[in-house]
Amino acid sequence: MEKKIYVTITLEDGATMRLELYPDAAPVTVQNFVSLAKMGYYDGLCFHRVIDGFMIQGGGFVHQKNGLQPKSGAKTIRGEFASNGFDNPIKHTAGTISMARTQVKDSASGQFFICVADTPFLDGEYAAFGRVCDNESLQKAVAVGKVRTGSLGYYDDVPLTPVVIRSITVE
C-alpha cells in the first residue's frame, strides 16, 4: 500500500485518533469517507455501537436523550472486499478502520468501525480501508470500547455517556 491519506478524528472532549487510509486497497471506500469528512458529514455524530474487545462503530447517528437519530445523506457504495469479488488485502487487526454495512454487500454508506482487537472473522467480508497511525490512537479507540453501554430505544451497545465526533479532518 503505497499511497496514504491521513485523517484525524477529534472527539467532543478533545481527544484524537489519527488514521492512515489506503486508497490503493479500497479506492471507492476511501474516496467516499474522505468526501464525507471534507463536507462535515461526521461532525456531531457519535460512536453509537461500542463492544469492548471487538469494535467501536460511528458515522450514522446523532445521540439524543430519547434515542439515536439517524443521519441521512450518505450514498451507498460498492463493498470492496473478497466475498464481493474485490481484492482487498487489509486484515481486520486491532486499529483497522472498516465500513459498516447491512447483510447487503453493497450497502455501506457513512458508518464505519474501528477494531479494538484482532477480528479475523471479518476479513474478506467488510471493506477495511485504513488503520490507526500510532499506539496513542489505538489506545483511545480501546478506551472508547470500554465505556459503559446499554440499550437506547431499538439499539443495544450504546454508550451511556455519548462519545461524540467533533470533526474528522483530512490532512
Side-chain angles (χ1 to χ4, degrees), residues 42-65:
Y42 294 111
D43 300 0
L45 300 183
C46 64
F47 281 96
H48 65 276
R49 185 170 173 239
V50 169
I51 302 174
D52 187 21
F54 177 35
M55 60 86 219
I56 61 174
Q57 181 174 334
F61 293 90
V62 175
H63 193 285
Q64 297 178 330
K65 288 182 185 182

Side-chain angles (χ1 to χ4, degrees), residues 9 15 29 34 42 58 68 102 113 121 126 131 135 139 142 156 163 171:
I9 299 173
T29 304
V34 166
Y42 294 111
L68 295 171
T102 67
F113 60 92
F121 60 92
Y126 289 82
R131 62 176 301 98
N135 191 53
Q139 292 312 310
V142 169
D156 295 324
V163 179
E171 297 170 24

Side-chain angles (χ1 to χ4, degrees), residues 83-102:
S83 74
N84 203 28
F86 191 89
D87 182 26
N88 180 335
I90 304 172
K91 302 293 183 202
H92 286 85
T93 56
T96 298
I97 185 171
S98 191
M99 290 305 290
R101 63 173 177 85
T102 67

Side-chain angles (χ1 to χ4, degrees), residues 124-152:
E125 297 297 328
Y126 289 82
F129 63 102
R131 62 176 301 98
V132 296
C133 292
D134 51 52
N135 191 53
E136 186 177 329
S137 295
L138 177 59
Q139 292 312 310
K140 183 57 193 175
V142 169
V144 171
K146 292 186 179 301
V147 301
R148 288 189 57 224
T149 61
S151 296
L152 188 60

